[in-house]
Structures are given as structure tokens and as C-alpha cells.
Amino acid sequence: MSIRTVSTQPYADQKPGTSGLRKKVPVFQQPHYLENFVQSIFDSINAPQGATLVLGGDGRFYNRTAIQIILKMAAANGFGKVLVGRGGILSTPAASCVIRKHKTFGGIILSASHNPGGPKEDFGIKYNSGNGGPATETVTEAIFAKSKALSSYKILDAADVALDMLGISALGDMQVQVIDPVSDYAELMESLFDFAAIRALLKSGFKIKFDAMHAVNGPYAKDIIENRLGATTGSVMNAVPLEDFGGGHPDPNLTYAHDLVEIMYGDDAPDFGAASDGDGDRNMILGKHFFVTPSDSLALLAANATLVPGYKQGLAGIARSMPTSAAADRVALALNIPCYETPTGWKFFGNLMDAGKVTLCGEESFGTGSNHVREKDGLWAVLFWLNIVAARKQSVESITREHWAKYGRNFYSRYDYEGLPTEAANGVMSHLRDSFGALAGKQFGKYTIKTCDDFSYTDPVDGSVSKNQGIRILFSDGSRIIFRLSGTGTEGATLRVYLEAFEADTARHHLDAQAALKELISIALRVSELQSRTGRDKPTVIT
Ligand code: VG1
Ligand code: CO
């Protein structure tokens, strides 16, 4: 076996987005494309000779091919050992867990999350640091800079490594250890939650349905929910990870998780429903005929955290991404703990958690998590909810309604306009920026604009500044409209419009969110000129 140095030309488009590099599979299949990016990672992270890495992905098409390439490159680049999930499988939160538990130098996660998989669909790769979290912006920028100047990469000439059986094998001077993808993670969950109470709840006839959406969380949910917690067989549906996710869109929301939604809104609906995404870090929570918005879910977990063994000491603080509703802020205020507002993407939470400033964090995009790992964690959120339900012995709906009655309700919705021509999407954003002055103080019915700005974040731990993280239109009553361009799309541009209105009056809490937000939606369309500038009269997805 010999190490080969391969000459290459740089690709100009390897800029990591919100969550690593995501492209269509054929883009990754171009000569040296994946290799270039992996070498750029290795050249940027300053790993000592003999360091250990974690490697795994969500099992989508190209996962296995990519893993073999990365293993051979790791061996050629002086790594001492790689821990890889059996079959190349590791959910994103499990990868984070394994990095932390085994104190490895870092890890590489292969996923395009909630985007479809298959030969013509999406693939992705990102680097996570030794804290288990996505590389910071400083590191991802260094990786991008390297990728633009790369002239060669190193790879070991060797046969593929067998990945389907647990055990250790040699790849040149490097060890490859195939690990059970579930066990470290399941152990961590058992240490945080009251499994006995959840087991008793499930035994008492409480019915649950978990939709793994043919994605990575299937084996995790089967083991934890059915085997360890004793839910009836079949409580986990679509539990076998498929390379194309069964042709579906593994995104747990009311649109794409329609199989589950039908069950949860049907005649004989279970008491609790949940789904997670392609790589297992997102979650959707449903009660019988009831949907919990992710922003409310974060607030509810925070308000009830001391019912859960792992959090019974209370929370150091809460963090939410800027577009996430301020429901969590109200809980933080009541608990007298700090609440941080960060840019979108999990990489911004890591520093806060490492510094002990926050315990829980979340995003409106169906992501919730805590300092138990450094990624959002879909199954963790489900177990947190089940623990709360077991402790309070109330339905999901009544827990949520009580929460609104106490804290007020933040009506919330997100409109996504996908696959727009880039110029049109940029045009909407620059038109809004040009209008800041004219909009301030303007009144629209009962809404008056207080200020508009471009969200900028200064990391309280390392002082780094991230600018242009979304346009905020802030109203005097606390309502908000936010415009932001997605950093995870792989086709054209995706424009997201986030809408939030606060309602203290309990008598209005039963309203449908779309009805409650109607006026704000029309203001958003009017001030942005979105429809005329993009030619779209409706969003692709509403969540
Ligand atoms: C989206 C979400 C963001 C999330 C990111 C990664 O990013 O809005 O909240 O952190 O996906 O999630 P964007 O830039 O497209 O809005 V995942 O489950 O794709 O790792
Ligand atoms: Co995901």
C-alpha cells in the first residue's frame, strides 16, 4: 500500500453553507471534487500526527463511496485511527456524541440533512471539531480558502475497508474501528431521561408513532423507543434507512411528513407523534390532532426542564437562532436566566455551550438540542417530550395550551420560496435594504414598524462578528418579519420569510396561525415586492 499524491485543480464552488458543503451527487462525482474538499479540511484543522477521527453519515446515496475515499485519505494524511459507524451510518447527533465520548480530534459527517437523496439528489459533507459541534465560521472559511488554492491531495492506494461488521482493521498505518452506531448514543439518552417513567407511560396504553422517514434515525428509534422503552412493535414507522429515503423528502414538517400527519389527525390517532429528518437532528412533535411549532417546543422544554433528570438542576441559559420566535425569551425571563439570539445554524451555539452559558438551544426549523452534544438532536427532543408527558400526565395539547395561557402565544410561520433565480432573490434583499429608512416609523393598520436592520452577531465568547444574517423588520408590539436567504439549498436561491406575532389574550390563542398572521403576511409581501420581483404568487412550502 502506498500513499499517492494526486495533482488537482481547485473548484471555485466549495464554500460551506449553513451546515457544511451541500451539492447534488453529480457535482460530488466530478473528478477529485470530494477529494479536494476533504484535503482542504485536513489542511485546515492542524490535527497532530496519529489523531483520531469519527466518520459516518445518514446512509444516503454516495455515503459508502465517500466513506471509502475519506478513509484512504485520512490514512494518507497521518491520522492514527478512524471510528466509523457500522455500514457507514451515524446520525448527526450520534456522531457528535461519539466525538465527545471518545474525545477524538474531530469528525466528518456526511449528510444533506432533510434534502432528498439519490443519484441525482443531494449529498453533503461537514467537519465537526473536538467539542462535537460544527466547525466555527473561522474554520469553515479557512477550509474554503484552502479549497480555492489546492494543487494536490494525498490518498492511500488500498482496497476498500469492510464496514458491515464490528471490529478493527488496518488501513496502512491507520486503524479503522467499525462501531455500533446506536449504543453510545442510546446510553447517553438513558443517562438524561427517566426511562422508567416513560416505560410506565407507554405500558399504561399511551400510544406513540415515530416516523423515521426511511432515514438514519430508524435504527436509533427502534432500539430506544421499541426495545428499551417497550413501545409496541410498529410504533416506529419507515424505520429502515434507504439510500433515497423511499423517494421522499426526509423533512419532518406538516408538508413532507404527511403519512404521519394523516395518522395523527385521523380517527384513531395515537397520543403522541414525532418525526425526524434525513440525518436525525431535526424533530417534529405532534399530539393527537395537534401540532407543536418548533419555537414553542423550545420554550416548552425550557419551562419544563427540571422535570427531566438530566436537567433537574435548572438551565444556565437558552439560545435561539434569530428567526426563531421569542417564545423562549419569555421563559428565560421568567426563569431569570439569559437568552441569546444567534445567527441561523448550529455552529453558533457551540461556543455558548462550551463556555457554560446555555443549556438548551433551538431553531424554528425543527431543531432543538442541549449541551449533551453539540448538534441539534431529533430523538433527544422526542424523549424530552415523552419525559415531560410522563411526569405531568397531561396530553401534548393541554401542556401547550397551559403554556400559552401562562406566557402568551407567539404565533409563528415560515414561508419558503425555493429555487428562485439568484438575481431575483438578491433583488428582494437589496430592495429591502434600500427601504430601511423609508420603512422606519411606517404604520400598516394596527402594526407600526419600529426599526429595520440587517442582523449582525458578535460572539460573546470569542468576539467574532457575523454580518448580514437576515433582514429584520421589527414592529412596536414585538411582532417581527424576517427575510433571509437559505444557506443549504442546492438549486438557485431559497428565500425564507419568517413571521411572528405575539398574542397575550388567551381568548385568541385558539386561532389558526395563518389567520392570526394574515396582516403581517400581506405587509411582508408589500414591503418586499416579493411577488413582482420573483414572479411567485405563493411559497413553495409553508411551515
Ligand atoms: C436550514 C435551517 C437552519 C438549519 C440548517 C441546517 O438552513 O433554516 O435553521 O440550521 O438548515 O439544518 P438554511 O440556511 O437553509 O435556512 V440541517 O437539519 O439541514 O443540518
Ligand atoms: Co438535519
Side-chain angles (χ1 to χ4, degrees):
M1 271 182 275
S2 61
I3 294 173
R4 196 154 45 100
T5 302
V6 182
S7 305
T8 186
Q9 296 286 319
Y11 285 92
D13 65 342
Q14 299 198 322
K15 187 175 171 59
T18 315
S19 206
L21 184 69
R22 291 191 184 158
K23 301 280 175 195
K24 296 282 175 208
V25 167
V27 174
F28 273 103
Q29 287 169 327
Q30 296 175 91
H32 316 309
Y33 191 90
L34 175 68
E35 290 87 343
N36 277 14
F37 191 72
V38 172
Q39 190 65 51
S40 306
I41 294 176
F42 291 159
D43 287 351
S44 309
I45 58 176
N46 301 316
Q49 185 74 18
T52 301
L53 274 183
V54 170
L55 177 62
D58 62 13
R60 68 180 59 224
F61 184 84
Y62 207 56
N63 195 60
R64 281 176 175 269
T65 312
I67 285 195
Q68 296 294 347
I69 292 172
I70 296 167
L71 284 174
K72 290 169 197 172
M73 288 186 68
N77 278 274
F79 285 90
K81 187 173 184 177
V82 176
L83 303 177
V84 46
R86 187 181 45 233
I89 292 280
L90 276 175
S91 77
T92 294
S96 184
C97 161
V98 174
I99 293 171
R100 293 171 67 77
K101 181 167 175 182
H102 299 276
K103 302 194 168 51
T104 70
F105 185 79
I108 291 179
I109 303 178
L110 304 174
S111 169
S113 188
H114 52 289
N115 290 355
K120 295 276 176 285
E121 300 295 350
D122 290 12
F123 189 74
I125 171 169
K126 70 172 176 176
Y127 176 70
N128 279 30
S129 312
N131 72 346
T136 58
E137 277 210 325
T138 318
V139 175
T140 56
E141 270 157 27
I143 295 172
F144 180 46
K146 283 277 177 205
S147 78
K148 288 188 292 190
L150 201 75
S151 58
S152 67
Y153 62 85
K154 282 194 269 185
I155 189 160
L156 190 75
D157 273 321
D160 282 0
V161 182
L163 294 177
D164 293 308
M165 273 209 336
L166 302 186
I168 298 183
S169 55
L171 188 58
D173 295 334
M174 189 181 84
Q175 282 189 346
V176 177
Q177 182 174 359
V178 177
I179 59 166
D180 180 305
V182 178
S183 57
D184 287 330
Y185 177 83
E187 249 173 52
L188 177 60
M189 294 301 111
E190 287 210 55
S191 76
L192 294 173
F193 299 108
D194 187 346
F195 270 39
I198 302 174
R199 216 176 283 127
L201 173 78
L202 294 171
K203 210 169 167 200
S204 74
F206 185 89
K207 293 253 166 344
I208 153 172
K209 201 77 176 169
F210 181 93
D211 188 353
M213 303 191 82
H214 306 288
V216 77
N217 254 354
Y220 294 85
K222 271 267 173 200
D223 184 44
I224 295 173
I225 296 177
E226 293 188 6
N227 299 347
R228 298 183 192 231
L229 291 170
T232 49
T233 309
S235 297
V236 180
M237 61 194 265
N238 302 323
V240 178
L242 301 175
E243 285 201 330
D244 67 348
F245 308 118
H249 205 127
D251 197 356
N253 59 42
L254 294 175
T255 306
Y256 293 125
H258 42 80
D259 291 353
L260 176 71
V261 171
E262 235 165 71
I263 294 170
M264 293 307 300
Y265 283 82
D267 286 344
D268 197 18
D271 304 286
F272 185 94
S276 57
D277 71 334
D279 61 330
D281 59 357
R282 297 185 177 202
N283 74 90
M284 174 169 69
I285 302 293
L286 299 165
K288 201 189 279 263
H289 303 180
F290 192 77
F291 165 66
V292 185
T293 68
S295 295
D296 279 348
S297 181
L298 172 64
L300 272 146
L301 299 190
N304 292 282
T306 52
L307 297 174
V308 175
Y311 306 88
K312 66 170 186 294
Q313 315 293 354
L315 309 174
I318 308 173
R320 63 162 173 84
S321 66
M322 181 274 283
T324 303
S325 97
D329 304 37
R330 297 178 178 278
V331 176
L333 194 67
L335 295 174
N336 197 23
I337 55 173
C339 186
Y340 297 86
E341 186 177 38
T342 62
T344 295
W346 216 258
K347 58 178 168 252
F348 296 98
F349 294 136
N351 276 348
L352 296 173
M353 291 192 282
D354 288 350
K357 290 179 181 297
V358 307
T359 309
L360 293 191
C361 39
E363 296 191 283
E364 49 65 43
S365 54
F366 297 82
T368 1
S370 88
N371 59 357
H372 69 290
V373 289
R374 293 293 182 276
E375 288 280 2
K376 54 187 184 273
D377 190 342
L379 201 45
W380 167 90
V382 173
L383 297 170
F384 205 125
W385 262 98
L386 287 173
N387 198 145
I388 292 171
V389 171
R392 290 187 48 168
K393 302 191 167 49
Q394 283 175 277
S395 70
V396 170
E397 176 167 356
S398 84
I399 290 172
T400 309
R401 290 198 185 281
E402 270 184 27
H403 184 92
W404 292 337
K406 179 165 176 193
Y407 296 95
R409 178 171 180 189
N410 291 69
F411 282 107
Y412 193 83
S413 186
R414 182 175 107 182
Y415 282 37
D416 292 336
Y417 297 82
E418 295 174 359
L420 298 176
T422 309
E423 310 82 77
N426 288 337
V428 172
M429 296 300 275
S430 52
H431 163 69
L432 280 163
R433 285 192 183 102
D434 293 343
S435 315
F436 284 174
L439 287 175
K442 210 163 170 177
Q443 196 181 338
F444 298 86
K446 66 169 186 175
Y447 291 104
T448 307
I449 297 180
K450 196 166 79 182
T451 50
C452 317
D453 66 10
D454 233 318
F455 181 61
S456 157
Y457 177 68
T458 305
D459 187 299
V461 181
D462 65 18
S464 59
V465 178
S466 305
K467 293 190 175 144
N468 299 328
Q469 298 293 324
I471 289 174
R472 307 191 290 183
I473 300 183
L474 306 171
F475 294 84
S476 47
D477 72 342
S479 298
R480 303 189 303 163
I481 301 173
I482 289 140
F483 294 87
R484 195 183 145 266
L485 294 177
S486 155
T488 59
T490 55
E491 254 175 59
T494 292
L495 179 63
R496 307 202 194 283
V497 186
Y498 309 81
L499 306 135
E500 173 181 8
F502 178 68
E503 181 59 72
D505 182 0
T506 314
R508 293 173 56 83
H509 287 170
H510 68 278
L511 283 180
D512 166 69
Q514 296 307 318
L517 293 166
K518 205 164 166 230
E519 232 177 301
L520 276 183
I521 293 163
S522 83
I523 298 170
L525 295 177
R526 204 165 129 194
V527 301
S528 64
E529 300 179 355
L530 189 152
Q531 293 182 329
S532 62
R533 286 175 178 272
T534 65
R536 296 283 177 87
D537 60 357
K538 17 178 215 323
T540 325
V541 185
I542 297 180
T543 49

